[in-house]
């Protein structure tokens, strides 16, 4: 079933159509939540509760507009809210799954190191830049879609992406050179 | 990734792939299964409420109609009932002072005589 049919049905309260749409966009939702929260358990909880909120608010969804932008906006807002609430805590541990990884063979270890560095780099970015970077480079969203998700002007999104990329390249450059060698 | 400008308006495929890989998180299948179960659970809950609402709506309407009928009947009976005759009221008022009747007894008398 195509996305337009699913969104129309979902907006009329069809839970199966809504479930299908969620399945299609859930991994992108998880990546956005994980980029913001950097903790897999918290990210999964945020996605789950935001998805249920989306279902309860489905009557307010306009099927003529992009479902993924609407859904990801709810996810991003939920993750950003949770992040703000958590920021009052003193320490922010790296995500458990990164810390608990076992020793891997050489090539995989290098890749894992690159991922670790990437996660550390993300941690240094302001959370809105993180969301913009992930949506733009990893999920293929346009600047205008991200502007709709974050409710900021398009120019601000361009600035977020620019600064985030520059910071990430600076952080990742030594690890990439290492991998190339 | 390094060759591209930070100003580029195109997504950076290398950085994007790295981000997707790093942010996929552990056990994606389990995550999907949990999410699907949560969505199914909440929609089933909503279906139950919908069923209950469908079942209850005609019964609530029936109960409201019955209540309205009974109320109407009560009002009609109240207004159609003949009032106490003036003579019997006068007799009741003229009873000797020694026999002090309680207001309840007077009303019972009035009602019985009114029949």
């Amino acid at each position: 079933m195509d996305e337009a049919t699913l969104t129309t049905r979902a907006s009329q309260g069809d839970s199966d159509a809504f479930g299908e749409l969620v399945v299609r966009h859930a991994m992108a939702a998880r990546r956005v939540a994980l980029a913001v929260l950097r903790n897999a358990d918290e990210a999964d909880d945020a996605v789950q509760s935001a998805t249920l909120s989306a279902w309860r608010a489905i009557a307010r969804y306009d099927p003529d507009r992009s479902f993924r932008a609407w859904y990801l906006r709810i996810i991003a807002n939920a993750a950003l809210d949770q992040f703000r609430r958590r920021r009052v805590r003193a320490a922010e541990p790296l995500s458990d799954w990164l810390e608990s990884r076992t020793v891997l063979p050489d090539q995989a270890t290098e890749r894992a190191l690159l991922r670790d560095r990437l996660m550390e780099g993300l941690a240094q970015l302001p959370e809105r830049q993180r969301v913009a970077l992930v949506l733009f480079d990893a999920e293929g969203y346009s600047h205008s879609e991200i502007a709709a998700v974050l409710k900021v002007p398009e120019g601000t999104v361009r600035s977020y992406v620019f600064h985030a990329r520059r910071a990430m390249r600076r952080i990742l450059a030594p690890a990439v050179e290492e991998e190339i060698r | 990734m390094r060759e591209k400008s930070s100003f580029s308006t195109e997504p950076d495929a290398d950085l994007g792939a790295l981000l997707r890989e790093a942010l996929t998180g552990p056990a994606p299948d389990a995550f999907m299964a949990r999410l699907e179960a949560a969505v199914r659970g909440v929609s089933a809950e909503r279906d139950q409420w919908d069923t209950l609402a469908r079942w209850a709506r005609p019964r609530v309407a029936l109960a409201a109609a019955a209540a309205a009928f009974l109320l109407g009947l009560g009002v009609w009976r109240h207004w159609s009932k003949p009032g106490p005759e003036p003579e019997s009221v006068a007799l009741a008022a003229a009873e000797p002072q020694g026999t002090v009747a309680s207001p309840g007894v007077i009303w019972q008398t009035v009602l019985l005589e009114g029949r």
Side-chain angles (χ1 to χ4, degrees):
Chain A
M1 203 180 292
D2 65 282
E3 184 119 346
T5 310
L6 286 172
T7 52
T8 304
R9 287 189 180 181
S11 69
Q12 292 162 352
D14 182 334
S15 58
D16 291 337
F18 177 78
E20 176 63 30
L21 286 166
V22 166
V23 166
R24 289 185 186 190
H25 300 292
M27 287 312 296
R30 191 190 206 194
R31 282 191 283 269
V32 168
L34 195 50
V36 174
L37 293 162
R38 293 180 297 115
N39 177 290
D41 291 338
E42 283 189 41
D44 288 0
D45 287 347
V47 170
Q48 189 163 316
S49 64
T51 300
L52 299 184
S53 301
W55 171 237
R56 290 187 196 104
I58 196 71
R60 292 203 295 273
Y61 165 66
D62 175 2
D64 293 334
R65 307 189 79 157
S66 160
F67 177 82
R68 73 170 188 169
W70 179 78
Y71 178 54
L72 262 288
R73 181 163 67 231
I74 292 171
I75 299 288
N77 284 334
L80 288 167
D81 284 349
Q82 196 165 323
F83 179 77
R84 271 182 228 117
R85 283 197 300 272
R86 194 184 64 182
R87 202 153 47 180
V88 295
R89 293 182 214 159
E92 260 187 30
L94 268 178
S95 61
D96 297 340
W97 67 281
L98 272 177
E99 287 174 340
S100 63
R101 259 209 312 269
T102 51
V103 179
L104 302 165
D106 280 354
Q107 204 175 2
T109 308
E110 280 173 15
R111 196 76 182 159
L113 285 172
L114 190 60
R115 278 203 303 269
D116 286 356
R117 198 172 274 262
L118 187 122
M119 291 302 283
E120 286 164 21
L122 278 177
Q124 291 173 31
L125 298 177
E127 61 271 19
R128 284 175 168 264
Q129 284 188 22
R130 274 182 243 160
V131 174
L133 182 74
V134 171
L135 288 178
F136 190 75
D137 281 326
E139 306 302 335
Y141 276 51
S142 67
H143 289 118
S144 60
E145 280 181 308
I146 300 168
V149 168
L150 293 176
K151 287 188 175 167
V152 293
E154 212 175 305
T156 307
V157 173
R158 288 178 194 277
S159 166
Y160 283 163
V161 172
F162 167 75
H163 288 292
R165 277 176 166 180
R166 197 171 60 175
M168 291 305 286
R169 288 188 177 125
R170 198 173 52 238
I171 292 159
L172 288 175
V176 172
E177 280 164 13
E178 193 71 27
E179 198 182 48
I180 290 166
R181 254 183 245 149
Chain B
M1 183 175 74
R2 282 172 301 148
E3 291 79 27
K4 286 196 177 174
S5 163
S6 298
F7 288 108
S8 171
T9 53
E10 293 300 312
D12 183 330
D14 295 338
L15 180 58
L18 268 176
L19 284 167
R20 277 194 299 276
E21 188 184 324
L23 296 171
T24 292
D29 293 341
F31 160 73
M32 289 300 293
R34 278 198 305 275
L35 191 60
E36 282 183 64
V39 171
R40 267 200 307 274
V42 81
S43 61
E45 189 181 306
R46 183 172 144 160
D47 289 347
Q48 282 173 357
W49 279 108
D50 285 349
T51 307
L52 191 64
R54 271 198 303 275
W55 177 86
R57 217 168 286 133
R59 281 156 184 79
V60 168
L62 196 68
F69 173 75
L70 288 173
L71 188 69
L73 190 68
V75 169
W76 176 77
R77 285 188 66 175
H78 175 77
W79 288 112
S80 63
K81 193 183 289 179
E85 285 173 22
E87 286 172 24
S88 56
V89 174
L91 281 171
E95 272 187 22
Q97 291 293 314
T99 56
V100 179
S102 70
V105 172
I106 292 171
W107 274 109
Q108 276 175 4
T109 312
V110 168
L111 288 172
L112 285 170
E113 286 177 0
R115 279 193 183 165

